[in-house]
Amino acid sequence: MDIAIPNILIWFIFLLPLASFVLISFFTKPVLNKPRLSGYLTIGAVAGSLALSIWTLISILRAEGHELVIPDFNWLAISGVINIQVGLIMDTLTSVMLIVVTTVSLMVQIYSQGYMHNDPGYHRYYAFMSLFTASMLGLVMVNDLLLMYVFWELVGLCSYLLIGFWFHKPEAAKAAKKAFIVTRIGDFGFLAAILLLFSQTGTLDIAQIHSLALTGTIGSTILLWAAIGIFLGAVGKSAQFPLHVWLPDAMEGPTPVSALIHAATMVAAGVFLVARMFPIFEHSPDALLIVATIGGFTAIFAASMGLVMNDIKRVLAYSTISQLGYMMLGLGTGGVAIGIIHLFNHAFFKALLFLGAGSINHATGTFDMRRMGGLRKVMPWTYFTFLIASLSIAGIWPLAGFWSKDEILVSTFDSQPVLFYLAMATVFMTAFYMFRVVFLTFGGKYRGGTPSQTSTKPHESPMVMIIPMVILAGLAISSGWFNVTGDFGHLLGHGAEHSFIEGFFGILTHPLPWISLIMAFAGILLAYAIYSKNWLSATKLRKFFSPIHTMFFRKYWMDEFYEDIIGEKILNKGIFTRFKLFDSKLVDGAVNGVADAVMTTGRVVRQVQTGQLQLYGIFIILGVLAISIGLIFWG
Amino acid sequence: MEVGLDHYLILSTIIFSIGLYGALSKRSAVVILMSIEIMLAAVTITMVAFSRYIVPTELTGHIFTIFIIVVAAAEAAVGLAIIMAIYRRRENIDASKIDLLKW
């Protein structure tokens, strides 16, 4: 393909899924009511977006400076005050994100054909999924902070709608609310940062803000605060400590939703945001340090909770948080390329893991790993793809996870030794919890699925679910190879001198990858020893490490802390009670006080109205006399 | 001594004051009504006096006076009717006891 993509078609990347959302909501559901059609419409739209995204990528690779310049058009113009233009950034970062979003979305939409089969909310599901895909694509494409914020909230809305997809379940409804509220706390920071930047620069255009940041026009204190605000938004969206609590609960949504939104794309939007605004972070080392520290800490913190969960999706959720922490760590220590390459790889293998979990759920009717087991023989395809994804996330050479994880480790080793040791420990934990899942789920004997479904035998999922998983498995193996020569990183603005990868095998000449490989294998071995061979008894270990286990299992009591201490004691019983007092005493008091004063005055003054006409007459005469005398003397 | 405007006005003031005093101090509603008539009569005297001394060629004051007499007659009719109604109801026409319009 030689021709550069026409500008109008770039808009269609975003408009196609949006059109699909509109069509499903207003046409196929109410008019035709053919559920299949809604699914095909979404798949078609996303496939179209994927094709256009690939075309865009090719065009960008050929374009000068690896960027397409697309003319803006006016959206909102208040003359002399503000002129908001709608425009797109088409650089390598955007196009990588486009590829990630459209690929994973397409796979998930196809997979959902099987998973959501016969669900009464089929139309609604595909409508929301289309809207989400459109919003996510919009989020990565726009060149304007305000619009980005709009899309940022839209993906949050879709996340809320899809977590609460089965809203008749109280847990799902609660989880949806929790996700929305917790991420709002972060969004507040993002909004504050946008307002701060706008008040300082008078522009919302990302490229302009970047150039102002690069030339030092914006003061460093302002930059630091803007960076902190933006990062707070990213912390909420990407479920970083201390706003991570919503993501595990978000697993109440349908599993394909978890795969698309809560593993591959939306939660990575925080990482993308930091990458997009990176010049702001770059010019204040403190901000980068905060990003790296929060990321590194979240990585190990979340991994520790992932070690002990019994629900397969919760393990994966903590794993996602942990991996997002890695990406933040990569951004904070190494720069855009390192973080984004991990995002790129992670999207594929984590989406695959979730789809695998969904496939297992489809077969057994449960997410509880204690009721699974022995599925290797029944579900060979699921087992095979899940194993690949697990190896990939554990960082085994030469799968995708290895390449990006080691880049992060290397860059951390250079700048933040403490975080490096944390990250190394996380590698061990990641491998352990992933293979704990693998052995518990696929190894041993079948332990019965849901109590209600014990009679049905587990079975392999239909082909419509298997095929996307196989494609994703291919990507989970190979997506890291794009960067074997360092080209991919270079495209994303990674300086060539940083790249330590020297070819497919060349990397093995460095000591560091060996250390991380040894850590990963140690984790796998430990999981094997405990959960496959029973050399070490899981029960005894749990007893032995009882306090620590309890701490991990109760999620460091973070939920209790937020709900009971902050939510109940500080807010409900503290601040809100004060506000209530203020309202009931001061505000109501003022209103009632005025009324009372008027009543009392009236009660006193009305005594004058005696009903004695002659008395009134006397007053009239006295009044007339007073006026007359006044007129005579002063008139 | 020539009788001038001042004299008429002084006379009118005296009559008006008598009427006013009666209207404000007497208890019987009939007496109050009569006092009001006296006040009206005082006013008509000023009207005619002004007319006579200020615009002697025109009859404006006189016309006014006739109007006032007509209105006074109507008012007396209405007033007496009200007094009759009150008397039938309460067997009493003490103005200080007619105080339903108070708080």
Side-chain angles (χ1 to χ4, degrees):
Chain A
M1 213 172 338
D2 234 20
I3 332 147
I5 186 165
N7 287 340
I8 186 75
L9 284 184
I10 294 181
W11 288 95
F12 271 87
I13 296 175
F14 157 70
L15 291 175
L16 278 176
L18 188 67
S20 154
F21 164 68
V22 173
L23 274 177
I24 292 172
S25 309
F26 298 105
F27 189 64
T28 62
K29 165 83 173 91
V31 181
L32 301 177
N33 198 19
K34 285 188 181 136
R36 293 278 117 189
L37 194 63
S38 296
Y40 295 143
L41 200 60
T42 308
I43 292 170
V46 176
S49 292
L50 173 60
L52 289 173
S53 301
I54 293 171
W55 194 2
T56 310
L57 179 65
I58 294 168
S59 306
I60 283 175
L61 291 181
R62 285 161 192 270
E64 208 170 314
H66 298 307
E67 182 159 359
L68 297 180
V69 180
I70 296 163
D72 297 349
F73 70 83
N74 287 334
W75 178 40
L76 178 69
I78 301 167
S79 57
V81 183
I82 193 173
N83 186 11
I84 298 174
Q85 296 180 312
V86 184
L88 306 178
I89 298 187
M90 273 298 145
D91 58 2
T92 42
L93 177 61
T94 301
S95 73
V96 167
M97 290 301 291
L98 287 180
I99 298 284
V100 169
V101 174
T102 48
T103 310
V104 176
S105 179
L106 181 63
M107 294 306 132
V108 167
Q109 312 301 351
I110 296 173
Y111 175 94
S112 306
Q113 289 269 315
Y115 191 82
M116 299 303 286
H117 186 69
N118 286 342
D119 192 282
Y122 199 83
H123 287 293
R124 188 160 50 93
Y125 176 80
Y126 272 105
F128 290 163
M129 284 300 240
S130 296
L131 179 63
F132 170 76
T133 309
S135 323
M136 190 67 208
L137 291 170
L139 171 64
V140 301
M141 280 161 51
V142 289
N143 70 349
D144 183 284
L145 275 176
L146 186 69
L147 269 180
M148 195 185 224
Y149 188 72
V150 170
F151 286 119
W152 184 263
E153 291 299 334
L154 264 178
V155 291
L157 169 73
C158 293
S159 162
Y160 167 79
L161 291 171
L162 284 163
I163 294 169
F165 183 73
W166 289 313
F167 50 79
H168 46 83
K169 286 199 303 184
E171 306 88 42
K174 265 175 84 177
K177 274 188 283 183
K178 185 170 177 183
F180 201 78
I181 293 166
V182 173
T183 49
R184 287 279 339 154
I185 296 170
D187 295 347
F188 163 74
F190 185 22
L191 183 60
I194 293 176
L195 294 176
L196 179 65
L197 284 172
F198 184 71
S199 70
Q200 293 296 316
T201 64
T203 178
L204 288 166
D205 187 85
I206 293 171
Q208 279 185 34
I209 290 174
H210 283 182
S211 61
L212 289 175
L214 288 171
T215 54
T217 318
I218 314 174
S220 59
T221 324
I222 302 290
L223 272 187
L224 177 63
W225 283 108
I228 288 173
I230 290 168
F231 184 59
L232 189 60
V235 163
K237 212 55 133 192
S238 290
Q240 298 293 292
F241 178 84
L243 298 181
H244 64 279
V245 290
W246 67 271
L247 189 58
D249 285 18
M251 296 301 132
E252 291 294 340
T255 310
V257 170
S258 311
L260 177 60
I261 300 185
H262 305 119
T265 57
M266 189 195 82
V267 288
V271 178
F272 166 77
L273 179 69
V274 175
R276 175 55 87 209
M277 303 308 290
F278 203 69
I280 288 177
F281 289 85
E282 220 168 8
H283 287 266
S284 78
D286 292 339
L288 277 185
L289 186 64
I290 293 170
V291 172
T293 312
I294 296 278
F297 176 70
T298 307
I300 192 163
F301 178 73
S304 70
M305 291 183 276
L307 295 175
V308 297
M309 292 295 147
N310 287 322
D311 181 315
I312 184 168
K313 281 183 79 181
R314 300 225 166 206
V315 176
L316 294 179
Y318 282 113
S319 161
T320 306
I321 299 173
S322 166
Q323 296 297 314
L324 289 165
Y326 259 113
M327 294 175 208
M328 289 293 183
L329 183 61
L331 285 175
T333 55
V336 172
I338 290 176
I340 293 297
I341 291 171
H342 195 54
L343 188 161
F344 181 73
N345 294 338
H346 172 260
F348 300 125
F349 59 66
K350 184 52 64 65
L352 174 55
L353 285 171
F354 270 106
L355 294 188
S359 176
I360 293 163
N361 167 249
H362 198 66
T364 62
T366 180
F367 286 113
D368 191 339
M369 291 191 290
R370 287 168 299 188
R371 310 194 125 270
M372 297 173 183
L375 297 173
R376 186 177 58 206
K377 294 202 183 63
V378 204
M379 310 179 73
W381 284 104
T382 306
Y383 169 65
F384 183 60
T385 51
F386 200 91
L387 185 66
I388 289 173
S390 302
L391 288 169
S392 190
I393 192 178
I396 305 299
W397 184 85
L399 281 79
F402 170 77
W403 303 98
S404 48
K405 188 173 281 188
D406 276 38
E407 284 257 36
I408 293 173
L409 290 172
V410 168
S411 65
T412 313
F413 185 66
D414 291 342
S415 52
Q416 304 287 345
V418 179
L419 293 176
F420 169 75
Y421 293 116
L422 287 182
M424 239 353 161
T426 312
V427 170
F428 171 77
M429 286 153 87
T430 308
F432 175 78
Y433 67 64
M434 278 323 299
F435 277 84
R436 175 172 172 263
V437 171
V438 170
F439 292 129
L440 275 178
T441 311
F442 295 102
K445 283 207 191 82
Y446 186 49
R447 290 185 291 272
T450 46
S452 61
Q453 279 198 340
T454 36
S455 54
T456 56
K457 278 179 73 92
H459 53 88
E460 181 60 291
S461 299
M463 284 316 277
V464 72
M465 290 166 73
I466 298 294
I467 290 169
M469 287 163 67
V470 172
I471 296 173
L472 281 175
L475 285 166
I477 297 171
S478 61
S479 66
W481 299 347
F482 292 117
N483 197 32
V484 165
T485 54
D487 283 349
F488 189 21
H490 194 62
L491 267 183
L492 287 165
H494 197 326
E497 68 278 8
H498 289 303
S499 184
F500 80 110
I501 301 175
E502 289 157 13
F504 204 72
F505 296 98
I507 191 167
L508 297 178
T509 59
H510 290 272
L512 213 58
W514 282 105
I515 300 174
S516 78
L517 275 177
I518 289 167
M519 294 300 277
F521 276 117
I524 295 173
L525 195 67
L526 185 63
Y528 182 72
I530 297 174
Y531 295 102
S532 186
K533 288 292 164 192
N534 288 322
W535 291 333
L536 295 166
S537 159
T539 339
K540 273 189 191 151
L541 278 176
R542 193 179 310 146
K543 285 234 176 68
F544 187 72
F545 290 111
S546 173
I548 301 177
H549 180 272
T550 317
M551 183 168 78
F552 290 169
F553 195 73
R554 300 294 301 274
K555 311 163 201 166
Y556 296 86
W557 292 278
M558 290 285 279
D559 278 344
E560 282 83 353
F561 175 69
Y562 284 149
E563 275 168 34
D564 298 346
I565 309 277
I566 292 190
E568 190 59 31
K569 288 226 170 65
I570 295 183
L571 291 182
N572 251 356
K573 293 225 175 83
I575 297 171
F576 294 163
T577 316
R578 300 279 152 32
F579 283 170
K580 202 177 145 199
L581 277 179
F582 176 80
D583 188 50
S584 65
K585 301 286 176 206
L586 213 72
V587 177
D588 287 3
V591 173
N592 292 340
V594 169
D596 284 347
V598 171
M599 293 265 283
T600 317
T601 317
R603 206 170 290 133
V604 174
V605 174
R606 74 181 180 193
Q607 305 292 336
V608 176
Q609 300 282 328
T610 53
Q612 299 288 343
L613 281 172
Q614 288 167 315
L615 195 62
Y616 299 168
I618 289 169
F619 282 119
I620 292 171
I621 294 303
L622 289 178
V624 170
L625 276 179
I627 292 169
S628 315
I629 291 167
L631 274 175
I632 289 165
F633 283 98
W634 296 289
Chain B
M1 187 185 78
E2 184 72 19
V3 175
L5 180 57
D6 295 349
H7 300 102
Y8 287 105
L9 291 185
I10 289 163
L11 172 69
S12 158
T13 310
I14 291 166
I15 297 172
F16 186 84
S17 301
I18 291 167
L20 186 63
Y21 171 76
L24 294 182
S25 60
K26 294 297 160 191
R27 293 203 163 181
S28 165
V30 178
V31 179
I32 290 173
L33 208 59
M34 287 161 61
S35 306
I36 291 171
E37 296 298 326
I38 293 171
M39 284 156 76
L40 287 169
V43 172
T44 54
I45 290 170
T46 34
M47 287 286 177
V48 176
F50 276 126
S51 182
R52 166 73 181 78
Y53 283 94
I54 293 173
V55 281
T57 53
E58 295 178 34
L59 294 175
T60 44
H62 307 78
I63 303 288
F64 251 116
T65 303
I66 290 167
F67 269 112
I68 289 172
I69 289 167
V70 171
V71 171
E75 182 229 308
V78 174
L80 280 173
I82 292 172
I83 289 167
M84 289 292 286
I86 291 172
Y87 182 76
R88 282 195 189 148
R89 195 170 176 79
R90 319 175 80 161
E91 305 210 334
N92 191 343
I93 48 168
D94 187 346
S96 65
K97 299 243 166 68
I98 306 171
D99 58 356
L100 279 176
L101 264 178
K102 70 173 179 183
W103 43 273

